[in-house]
Amino acid sequence: MEKKMRFGIKSKIIIGYLIVIVCLFIAFIVLNSQISSLQKERNFIIDHDIEVHDLTNRIEKHLLDMETGQRGYIITGEASYLEPYNSAATSWEKDYNALYQLLNNNPNQQEKLEKIKGSIQDWIEAAGEPTIALKKENNTKELQQFFEKDPGRQYMDDIRSQFTSFRNVEKKSTETRATELDEKNQKIKIGLYGLLLFVTLISLAIAIVLSNSIVNTIKEVTQTIKRITASKGELKGRIKVRSNDEIKDLGLATNALLENIEERNWLQTNIAHAVTMYQGIASVDKLAEKFLFTVSEMTQASFGAFYVREENDKGNLFVKQAAFADRKGDAGRESFLIGEGLIGQAALEKRTFVINDVPDTYQLITSGLGDVKPKSIFIVPVLFEDEVIAVIELASLHEFTVLEQELISQVIETFGLTINGVIRRMEIARLLKESQAMTEELQAQSEELQTQSEELQMQSEELRMINEQLEERTKDAEEKSFELEAAKEDLEEKAHQLELNSQYKSEFLANMSHELRTPLNSILILSEMLEENAAKTLSEDEEEYARIIHSSGKDLLALINDILDLSKVESGKLDILLAEMNMSELPDQIERNFSHVAEQKNVQLKINKAQDVPDIIYTDEKRFQQIVKNLLSNAFKFTESGSVTVSIQRVADHRLTTAMRTVDTDCWLEIAVADTGIGIPKEKHQLIFEAFQQADGATVRKYGGTGLGLSICSEFAKLLGGWISLSSEVGKGSTFTLYLPSLSNGLIDYEKVNFAYEEVAVSVEEAEPEAEITEIDHPVQPVESSLQDGENVFQDKRVLIVDDDQRNIFALKTALAKQGMTIMTAHNGIECLEMMENSEPFDLILMDIMMPQMDGYEAMQKIRGELKLVDLPIIALTAKAMKNDREKCLEAGASDYISKPLDLNQLFSVMRVWLVN
């Protein structure tokens, strides 16, 4: 088939522009010709008419000079008066001749000029020359008689009248030509508008044709993308484009992207499933069976064997611990030495083997109908601290794809740590049992020695023999003591290994937090911008989609934070900062944070605070607020109607148990959150305080949640020196009560607190509060917040974004550009330093921490040290939100610190503070 000619969008637009330019060029030529003609006529009117009027005025002036000179000479007799007369007498005829030539095209005016000329000559002959001659002859009498009649006046009056008539005719002629010029100008204007309309119609026609050829193709691509979007994660659809231009290139690139995303989604989903499936397994054989089953299901492998390293007299031996599709236990050999067979060779070289040309003698895959030869073998070693601790062999009826190989490779990256942890736990359990047996044996021996000692006291005659036996027993005891000491050291080593495992877990959670927060940052910022819809380009449904994405992103962020908090508590790395807390503000804070929730759910919010509650207590306000907010959130979540009541009171002295009195505290507070919700069965009261647990499956399906909230609240309460109790009845509601000491000395005696909790657990529910309660009336109103922005401090500010993730750069650049800022970007610390040395100064830097080549810590140190920019604001941005990250950033030179995902309002607030300061 003949290849379809490529006609790109650029070519279409250029041709359209060329046609419009040609039309405009033709219009310009026509318009220029008309304007030139109009200019000539205008110049004729200006030059001709002004010259006519000028010559007319000059002739009149010459005539006036002759009359004035004549009268002056006659009156004074001074010859000097004749100079203007003589000069004018010679000049007026020159001007007359010039004026006569100008009027060649107007015979009527020439005729009037001839009459004016005759009148002037008559005046000269009748009044001008005769009177001057009489004056020269000094004939006063005849002069007197002449001026008594004064015929020259009549001539002058006629001449002036003739000039007036001449000028009036010229004026009308000028007006007539001006009118004709105006009419011609109007015609040109109408022609210009018509030409403009014609060019506009041609341009519109070309634009419509070109835009339809482009837009229709784009619509097809857009509709396909919308269908893929509406399929709720189904990425099977592909874009089909009939045109042969850049839109087709876009469609092909989008199809390739969809295929890549589909593969990555499959890869990440299976990796996550594989990582979570072997948690909680305590034995290597169970772990191996579970792993083989899961990986075989993912890769459609039909056969598999799992070998784990064991140490014996011959050295390291890899022993089969599990098999998949095993036929009477004959799935492969039971063990391999290092370098023996492909299993041993993979362990020796620490590399993966993929064999597609399987020999005929290989182990057959058994099914119900017979045996089948596999088509591909995949052998992969599992490493821990650069040592092979296990080898996995899989066989399949199809060749293992690159994606399946990548899946297995990524899964085993952390699987070595899991295998080592299980082996260590099994070893610790074995040593613990041995230690217990040895302790029991020593205890029995000690009792036996005691009996023998008593017998020695009673039987003195057998003293020597018993002393010898006692010495032997003592030696045995010493030997056992040495063995116990060795076992203790071994246990300490195992405890150190467990601590390392905990460290690896924390690092894993930190890295996972970074990897999740980095894309989540872009999702939250871009979805928030889409939700705002500042350009009004999204429909209501699309705005709702953006709100759902933004809300889901926040839920995911909350889940990540909960998991990190729980991990910190479990590892004992959560810092408690005891300081003053203002209890008088607590009711207003609760009302401000939850009144809108109560209004939305049509549930009444009541807040009661006893008068004897101190205004200031000493505790960790951040953790306290987390506990209260979690309890209130749960109360509103599980309450469909009725009310949620918060009661804040001081535990009366007579209600304090003996153990509670031993705690060094100013007072004990009781914060109760009661609701009229669904209630919790008695047998579930302890379960709900465990991680990832809720009352039952129906609760999860109806109300959602992860089951971490109450677990975190319980752990936080213990860290603050208190505890949480629960009283609930199904169908009537629940009351969660937080007991908390005020620790002004800044010390928490956890042993006394635990004893107080155990003592109060029975009696606290029976005691009735006697403190005087003051009900605080908080009408439920929607919380309205208004941000009054003054002068825009962001306008024209130069900001440098340093981040290796293009998604974050795009999201931040889009958000900051809307504030009027000038944005520059760098992808690592090296590019950042180069840009700062070669560009104009920046007003502020947004610095990511985890970057290749040079990270954010080193870049900030060089900016402060080598470049000497100590006053330049640098805000550190990182998704690895672990302990001491903030302190490390500030020590490296950061002015401030924000963890990802970013809240735009928080980011703008921090930037505004540093830009103003």
Side-chain angles (χ1 to χ4, degrees):
M1 180 184 292
E2 185 179 355
K3 186 177 179 181
K4 186 177 180 181
M5 184 179 69
R6 181 178 177 87
F7 192 44
I9 297 175
K10 181 179 180 181
S11 301
K12 297 176 183 177
I13 294 174
I14 291 175
I15 291 174
Y17 275 123
L18 287 176
I19 294 174
V20 173
I21 291 172
V22 169
C23 292
L24 289 174
F25 183 73
I26 294 172
F28 173 77
I29 293 174
V30 174
L31 180 62
N32 185 60
S33 174
Q34 295 294 326
I35 291 176
S36 298
S37 175
L38 190 65
Q39 185 70 26
K40 289 179 181 179
E41 295 185 11
R42 173 183 171 277
N43 292 339
F44 174 79
I45 293 175
I46 293 173
D47 298 338
H48 177 272
D49 292 3
I50 290 177
E51 184 68 18
V52 168
H53 288 289
D54 183 52
L55 290 173
T56 303
N57 291 333
R58 284 164 62 183
I59 293 172
E60 282 191 294
K61 179 179 177 300
H62 293 323
L63 185 60
L64 180 61
D65 289 343
M66 291 173 65
E67 183 183 19
T68 302
Q70 174 225 9
R71 291 182 179 275
Y73 177 72
I74 293 171
I75 294 171
T76 62
E78 293 290 336
S80 60
Y81 281 99
L82 291 178
E83 291 179 3
Y85 177 87
N86 294 328
S87 175
T90 58
S91 297
W92 75 270
E93 289 187 3
K94 295 179 181 179
D95 292 336
Y96 169 82
N97 292 332
L99 180 60
Y100 191 85
Q101 291 294 328
L102 282 175
L103 297 175
N104 283 336
N105 58 346
N106 195 341
N108 292 330
Q109 287 294 84
Q110 284 183 333
E111 185 178 348
K112 289 183 179 181
L113 271 180
E114 291 174 354
K115 291 181 179 180
I116 292 173
K117 179 180 180 182
S119 299
I120 293 173
Q121 290 175 342
D122 290 343
W123 178 81
I124 294 173
E125 294 175 355
E129 293 296 334
T131 55
I132 293 173
L134 291 174
K135 182 64 178 177
K136 288 180 179 180
E137 295 173 358
N138 202 17
N139 191 344
T140 305
K141 183 178 180 179
E142 288 188 14
L143 281 174
Q144 221 168 6
Q145 292 175 355
F146 178 84
F147 280 108
E148 286 178 359
K149 297 179 182 179
D150 197 8
R153 178 180 296 176
Q154 183 62 39
Y155 286 120
M156 281 296 179
D157 290 341
D158 290 342
I159 292 171
R160 290 190 182 94
S161 176
Q162 288 172 348
F163 269 116
T164 299
S165 175
F166 176 82
R167 271 194 295 268
N168 288 338
V169 172
E170 274 305 315
K171 184 177 181 181
K172 287 180 181 180
S173 177
T174 301
E175 290 175 353
T176 300
R177 281 193 289 268
T179 301
E180 292 175 353
L181 190 62
D182 290 340
E183 292 176 355
K184 198 167 186 179
N185 187 34
Q186 188 66 24
K187 291 178 181 179
I188 293 175
K189 187 184 295 184
I190 294 172
L192 177 61
Y193 286 145
L195 194 57
L196 180 62
L197 178 61
F198 173 74
V199 173
T200 302
L201 292 176
I202 292 295
S203 302
L204 287 175
I206 294 171
I208 291 171
V209 171
L210 291 177
S211 62
N212 285 340
S213 67
I214 298 172
V215 172
N216 290 339
T217 306
I218 293 178
K219 284 182 178 178
E220 292 179 5
V221 175
T222 304
Q223 292 299 324
T224 303
I225 294 175
K226 287 182 177 179
R227 286 196 298 271
I228 294 173
T229 304
S231 63
K232 298 181 179 179
E234 180 61 40
L235 302 176
K236 298 296 183 182
R238 292 295 180 265
I239 298 172
K240 298 179 181 179
V241 181
R242 292 186 295 271
S243 63
N244 191 15
D245 53 16
E246 287 81 355
I247 304 299
K248 181 178 181 180
D249 298 337
L250 173 62
L252 295 177
T254 305
N255 289 337
L257 176 63
L258 289 174
E259 291 175 0
N260 183 264
I261 292 174
E262 186 176 8
E263 290 179 354
R264 288 298 166 190
N265 287 344
W266 180 86
L267 188 63
Q268 292 175 3
T269 301
N270 286 302
I271 290 174
H273 175 64
V275 170
T276 57
M277 65 87 190
Y278 46 70
Q279 293 181 357
I281 299 177
S283 63
V284 174
D285 54 348
K286 294 292 183 183
L287 177 65
E289 289 177 3
K290 187 69 174 177
F291 182 83
L292 278 179
F293 176 78
T294 302
V295 172
S296 298
E297 183 181 8
M298 292 176 181
T299 61
Q300 298 181 358
S302 304
F303 184 80
F306 196 104
Y307 294 86
V308 178
R309 185 185 66 186
E310 294 183 2
E311 296 181 359
N312 59 11
D313 298 338
K314 297 181 181 180
N316 290 331
L317 187 69
F318 286 87
V319 180
K320 184 174 70 174
Q321 295 289 340
F324 178 73
D326 192 359
R327 184 179 61 183
K328 298 181 181 180
D330 62 349
R333 288 173 51 178
E334 290 299 322
S335 64
F336 286 90
L337 292 172
I338 291 182
E340 183 181 5
L342 289 178
I343 297 294
Q345 195 64 27
L348 178 63
E349 297 183 11
K350 300 178 184 179
R351 72 184 182 94
T352 300
F353 290 97
V354 179
I355 303 172
N356 293 324
D357 296 329
V358 181
D360 296 334
T361 57
Y362 187 78
Q363 172 77 49
L364 299 179
I365 298 174
T366 302
S367 67
L369 300 178
D371 297 335
V372 183
K373 173 188 171 183
K375 290 186 178 180
S376 182
I377 302 171
F378 189 40
I379 302 174
V380 56
V382 181
L383 302 179
F384 175 73
E385 294 183 348
D386 202 33
E387 291 187 3
V388 179
I389 63 172
V391 179
I392 301 166
E393 180 177 359
L394 297 173
S396 176
L397 296 176
H398 70 279
E399 292 186 3
F400 289 98
T401 64
V402 176
L403 193 62
E404 290 171 343
Q405 295 177 28
E406 184 178 357
L407 169 64
I408 297 175
S409 299
Q410 291 194 22
V411 167
I412 65 170
E413 285 181 359
T414 58
F415 190 52
L417 178 63
T418 303
I419 295 175
N420 184 71
V422 172
I423 294 174
R424 296 301 183 188
R425 285 195 295 270
M426 292 174 63
E427 183 69 14
I428 290 172
R430 184 185 64 80
L431 292 174
L432 183 61
K433 289 181 181 179
E434 292 179 0
S435 176
Q436 290 174 347
M438 294 170 65
T439 301
E440 292 174 357
E441 183 179 351
L442 285 175
Q443 185 176 0
Q445 290 177 355
S446 177
E447 293 174 355
E448 184 178 352
L449 288 174
Q450 182 67 26
T451 302
Q452 292 176 355
S453 177
E454 292 175 357
E455 291 177 356
L456 284 174
Q457 292 177 359
M458 294 174 62
Q459 302 175 2
S460 58
E461 66 277 5
E462 298 178 357
L463 181 59
R464 183 176 57 81
M465 182 181 63
I466 293 176
N467 283 335
E468 292 177 356
Q469 293 178 353
L470 183 60
E471 288 178 358
E472 293 178 358
R473 298 291 183 182
T474 302
K475 290 180 180 179
D476 292 338
E478 288 178 353
E479 292 177 358
K480 298 296 183 182
S481 297
F482 287 135
E483 292 178 0
L484 283 175
E485 185 67 26
K488 179 182 177 183
E489 292 177 356
D490 198 5
L491 285 175
E492 290 177 351
E493 178 65 23
K494 303 305 179 185
H496 178 65
Q497 290 293 331
L498 285 176
E499 184 179 353
L500 285 178
N501 291 342
S502 177
Q503 179 182 350
Y504 294 148
K505 174 185 174 184
S506 299
E507 186 64 24
F508 170 74
L509 287 174
N511 291 332
M512 287 301 294
S513 169
H514 179 272
E515 295 302 323
L516 290 172
R517 287 170 183 259
T518 297
L520 187 57
N521 181 56
S522 303
I523 292 173
L524 287 177
I525 293 177
L526 294 177
S527 60
E528 183 178 358
M529 292 170 63
L530 288 174
E531 182 181 351
E532 292 174 357
N533 195 13
K536 304 299 181 184
T537 59
L538 301 181
S539 65
E540 293 183 358
D541 290 340
E542 290 170 333
E543 287 186 23
E544 183 63 22
Y545 298 156
R547 279 191 288 272
I548 292 172
I549 294 172
H550 190 65
S551 174
S552 301
K554 285 188 174 180
D555 292 342
L556 179 57
L557 177 60
L559 175 59
I560 294 171
N561 292 335
D562 286 346
I563 293 174
L564 289 176
D565 284 342
L566 187 60
S567 174
K568 291 177 183 177
V569 171
E570 290 177 349
S571 61
K573 295 182 179 180
L574 189 68
D575 293 332
I576 297 298
L577 303 176
L578 299 179
E580 291 183 357
M581 177 180 172
N582 192 343
M583 290 298 293
S584 62
E585 297 177 353
L586 182 59
D588 292 333
Q589 293 173 353
I590 295 174
E591 192 275 334
R592 191 162 54 245
N593 291 330
F594 289 93
S595 60
H596 65 287
V597 180
E599 183 182 24
Q600 291 174 358
K601 299 199 68 174
N602 198 22
V603 174
Q604 187 177 5
L605 173 61
K606 299 179 182 179
I607 305 175
N608 303 323
K609 179 174 176 291
Q611 294 181 351
D612 61 350
V613 174
D615 291 336
I616 301 297
I617 68 169
Y618 293 85
T619 186
D620 189 324
E621 182 174 1
K622 178 180 178 182
R623 307 307 174 190
F624 176 85
Q625 292 283 5
Q626 281 185 259
I627 296 172
V628 174
K629 289 180 180 178
N630 249 329
L631 294 178
L632 279 168
S633 297
N634 278 351
F636 280 109
K637 181 194 294 185
F638 298 110
T639 302
E640 299 294 339
S641 62
S643 65
V644 173
T645 304
V646 182
S647 300
I648 308 168
Q649 60 183 358
R650 180 171 182 166
V651 180
D653 291 339
H654 69 275
R655 294 178 57 207
L656 295 176
T657 65
T658 304
M660 293 173 70
R661 296 177 191 274
T662 63
V663 179
D664 188 7
T665 176
D666 301 336
C667 65
W668 282 85
L669 292 182
E670 176 182 319
I671 298 93
V673 178
D675 62 65
T676 58
I678 60 176
I680 304 170
K682 186 73 175 178
E683 63 273 17
K684 302 290 186 180
H685 283 194
Q686 289 299 121
L687 178 66
I688 63 173
F689 286 100
E690 297 179 8
F692 303 104
Q693 296 293 333
Q694 292 193 357
D696 54 38
T699 303
V700 178
R701 289 190 298 271
K702 182 175 181 181
Y703 297 98
T706 61
L708 287 175
L710 288 176
S711 175
I712 293 174
C713 287
S714 177
E715 296 297 331
F716 281 177
K718 292 177 184 177
L719 291 174
L720 296 179
W723 60 83
I724 297 175
S725 66
L726 167 64
S727 63
S728 179
E729 186 175 350
V730 176
K732 293 186 178 180
S734 306
T735 301
F736 289 86
T737 306
L738 169 65
Y739 292 90
L740 197 67
S742 173
L743 303 170
S744 58
N745 60 359
L747 299 175
I748 303 176
D749 191 336
Y750 289 107
E751 183 177 353
K752 292 182 179 180
V753 170
N754 291 335
F755 182 66
Y757 170 66
E758 294 172 359
E759 183 179 2
V760 82
V762 177
S763 60
V764 71
E765 295 182 0
E766 300 174 357
E768 295 293 334
E770 298 181 0
E772 181 180 357
I773 303 296
T774 302
E775 181 170 349
I776 303 173
D777 185 14
H778 289 278
V780 179
Q781 297 177 349
V783 179
E784 297 181 358
S785 63
S786 62
L787 179 63
Q788 297 179 350
D789 292 329
E791 181 182 358
N792 186 3
V793 299
F794 300 141
Q795 188 66 37
D796 298 328
K797 298 296 184 183
R798 287 175 53 81
V799 177
L800 176 61
I801 301 174
V802 187
D803 200 317
D804 63 326
D805 194 302
Q806 288 295 339
R807 299 167 294 187
N808 286 340
I809 290 177
F810 173 74
L812 282 173
K813 189 173 182 180
T814 304
L816 299 182
K818 290 185 177 181
Q819 300 295 324
M821 288 178 270
T822 302
I823 311 301
M824 302 292 287
T825 62
H827 296 88
N828 53 54
I830 295 176
E831 288 188 17
C832 169
L833 296 176
E834 291 176 353
M835 292 186 66
M836 296 188 67
E837 292 176 350
N838 301 324
S839 301
E840 296 180 5
F842 293 97
D843 298 298
L844 185 141
I845 297 178
L846 298 178
M847 179 74 70
D848 185 31
I849 299 302
M850 306 297 290
M851 295 182 295
Q853 297 184 12
M854 181 185 290
D855 60 17
Y857 295 126
E858 185 178 355
M860 290 188 291
Q861 290 172 351
K862 289 184 178 294
I863 291 173
R864 300 302 192 202
E866 296 180 4
L867 301 184
K868 307 298 182 183
L869 298 176
V870 296
D871 297 327
L872 176 64
I874 304 176
I875 300 176
L877 311 176
T878 180
K880 191 175 181 181
M882 294 302 289
K883 180 182 177 183
N884 298 329
D885 277 354
R886 178 182 180 87
E887 289 74 12
K888 289 174 64 178
C889 290
L890 296 180
E891 289 176 3
S895 306
D896 215 323
Y897 168 94
I898 302 178
S899 63
K900 297 178 182 177
L902 302 179
D903 183 291
L904 284 179
N905 292 329
Q906 179 190 9
L907 176 62
F908 290 152
S909 177
V910 173
M911 291 177 64
R912 185 179 290 106
V913 168
W914 286 104
L915 287 174
V916 170
N917 292 338

